[in-house]
Amino acid sequence: CESKAWGLRFALAISSDSRLLTLVEFANSLDAQLTEWEQRGTGGGDPVESVSMRRLLLDVLRGRSMLQQVACVFERVPVRGVSSQDAWVKFKRALDFLDASFESLRLEGYDLSVPAALRPNNIPKSHAWWWCTTPIYVSG
């Protein structure tokens, strides 16, 4: 099968410790961007700042989806004799940490929703970060 052969070549290409650790750094940079998004707010009514903040969030979401694709390929294709188990564990932890950041922001009431028109086509439902809904505010 052509896709399995591609998956094997891809998994072999990223299976070195240094390449996986580069992806860990990328995941950490996405988390830092998400923190920046949280600290700057949603733009405070300034249309230019609002667009900038939406763009920042979309960049983080796209990056997280790319990392998920890498993880899926690497998990599906068995790579024997790879010495990067420690790097793989760090990569998975970085993804878990990033997902925890998304969940924390969602629980705190931040609007992580993305209008359908801004979502890439064919996003799987398993990429939950794309499917957040607008928070419902209840005044006490």
Side-chain angles (χ1 to χ4, degrees):
C1 176
E2 184 178 330
S3 65
K4 188 168 184 171
W6 178 88
L8 179 59
R9 285 193 308 273
F10 181 80
L12 287 170
I14 67 165
S15 63
S16 75
D17 288 351
S18 64
R19 289 184 181 128
L20 280 174
L21 293 175
T22 297
L23 292 173
V24 169
E25 290 174 17
F26 179 65
N28 292 338
S29 75
L30 292 176
D31 191 64
Q33 289 176 41
L34 197 56
T35 299
E36 177 188 349
W37 179 85
E38 173 190 15
Q39 292 172 347
R40 287 175 52 192
T42 58
D46 177 2
V48 173
E49 185 65 10
S50 293
V51 169
S52 172
M53 296 310 298
R54 179 60 64 188
R55 190 172 296 134
L56 179 60
L57 180 60
L58 290 173
D59 287 347
V60 172
L61 297 173
R62 285 186 199 104
R64 178 60 186 92
S65 285
M66 183 277 299
L67 291 171
Q68 186 64 32
Q69 294 300 98
V70 169
C72 286
V73 167
F74 202 70
E75 288 172 344
R76 279 193 306 251
V77 179
V79 180
R80 308 254 185 262
V82 173
S83 66
S84 56
Q85 186 61 33
D86 185 53
W88 177 247
V89 169
K90 288 178 182 177
F91 175 69
K92 292 297 285 178
R93 282 188 189 145
L95 295 185
D96 291 344
F97 189 80
L98 184 56
D99 291 344
S101 294
F102 279 120
E103 183 63 10
S104 176
L105 290 173
R106 188 188 69 76
L107 291 173
E108 290 176 29
Y110 285 90
D111 186 1
L112 297 168
S113 64
V114 176
L118 295 178
R119 251 185 251 132
N121 294 331
N122 303 317
I123 293 291
K125 291 290 184 185
S126 62
H127 293 213
W129 45 91
W130 285 102
W131 303 104
C132 292
T133 57
T134 304
I136 299 173
Y137 298 101
V138 178
S139 66

